[in-house]
Amino acid sequence: VGPITDILQDCVNGRGSHARITNSPLHDCIHAAVYWEGNYNEFDHNIIARPDLKPGGAGGDGIQFGGAVGIQNTGNWIHHNIIDHSNKATKQVVVISGDSDLPMFNVVEDNLLIGASFVVNFNPSGGIIQRNIMIGMVGSTRTLNIERQLGANAGGNVVIARDNLIIGSSTTEFGVFATMPSATIPYEIMLDNNIIVGFSNTGIRA
């Protein structure tokens, strides 16, 4: 495991594969609670609250897999966590990014996720988002965000979101916001059996 940026400010900061962070209370972090790069890691049964106490600056999310070109970030499993990031309207609860020219498949399941920005942001990860309770507090604009940011999406990722409870607030415009990268590049988004409530604009927008 090797450190990456902001090691003295994140509660957990590393780069590596086949690591596990479990049964840990992570709270009152100066920057991100968990900032990681790598494949086939497991983060489970953690309680995360009040990350990013430092004013200003990028980052500071609950769990973040960064997005450098050439880094894949696949095979990661985030499950059975309680993450409350309702203290910052500019930070995300779970964000998974990577080079979209590489195939990515990550799983986020069985979590309670509370936030005042994007609650789950797959940008551009493929994978499964299931059986989560996602709550967008005042300040949030999208509860579940799916988009392609880096590369040309040659990896052809597939996102499946099913059996989630997706809750918005008076400021939350969209329950699910999906941005397709290109009409010529394969990219599938499947939504099945989700309950989506409480949005000021649209429950699902693509």
Side-chain angles (χ1 to χ4, degrees):
V1 176
I4 49 180
T5 59
D6 295 314
I7 187 170
L8 298 179
Q9 300 180 351
D10 301 326
C11 280
V12 176
N13 182 304
R15 175 180 291 153
S17 297
H18 302 283
R20 185 182 185 193
I21 301 170
T22 185
N23 289 296
S24 299
L26 304 170
H27 58 86
D28 299 297
C29 310
I30 296 175
H31 205 231
V34 178
Y35 186 6
W36 203 268
E37 299 274 14
N39 304 328
Y40 305 104
N41 300 285
E42 182 178 1
F43 301 159
D44 66 288
H45 295 90
N46 302 291
I47 298 176
I48 296 174
R50 299 181 304 277
D52 199 40
L53 298 181
K54 181 182 71 174
D61 303 299
I63 294 177
Q64 177 181 358
F65 281 85
V69 172
I71 294 178
Q72 188 174 20
N73 288 329
T74 191
N76 298 293
W77 185 20
I78 299 170
H79 64 98
H80 293 96
N81 300 284
I82 298 173
I83 308 177
D84 183 354
H85 202 342
S86 56
N87 57 305
K88 278 289 183 72
T90 58
K91 307 301 180 180
Q92 300 157 108
V93 182
V94 175
V95 53
I96 302 179
S97 295
D99 187 340
S100 69
D101 292 333
L102 302 171
M104 299 172 65
F105 188 91
N106 297 287
V107 177
V108 177
E109 62 183 1
D110 300 304
N111 302 282
L112 172 58
L113 307 172
I114 304 167
S117 181
F118 296 173
V119 177
V120 174
N121 186 8
F122 265 33
N123 185 4
S125 178
I128 297 175
I129 305 164
Q130 64 182 0
R131 299 189 305 271
N132 301 284
I133 299 174
M134 295 180 266
I135 302 174
M137 303 297 286
V138 172
S140 69
T141 56
R142 305 173 189 176
T143 303
L144 173 57
N145 188 65
I146 302 168
E147 62 181 303
R148 188 273 301 164
Q149 183 180 50
L150 299 170
N153 196 54
N157 293 307
V158 175
V159 178
I160 301 170
R162 62 191 177 203
D163 300 318
N164 299 287
L165 175 57
I166 302 172
I167 302 172
S169 69
S170 59
T171 64
T172 311
E173 284 192 89
F174 309 109
V176 179
F177 189 96
T179 303
M180 302 301 287
S182 168
T184 61
I185 297 173
Y187 192 91
E188 288 186 72
I189 300 173
M190 292 179 278
L191 304 175
D192 179 42
N193 202 39
N194 300 283
I195 298 174
I196 304 172
V197 295
F199 299 94
S200 62
N201 191 322
T202 307
I204 300 172
R205 178 171 178 176

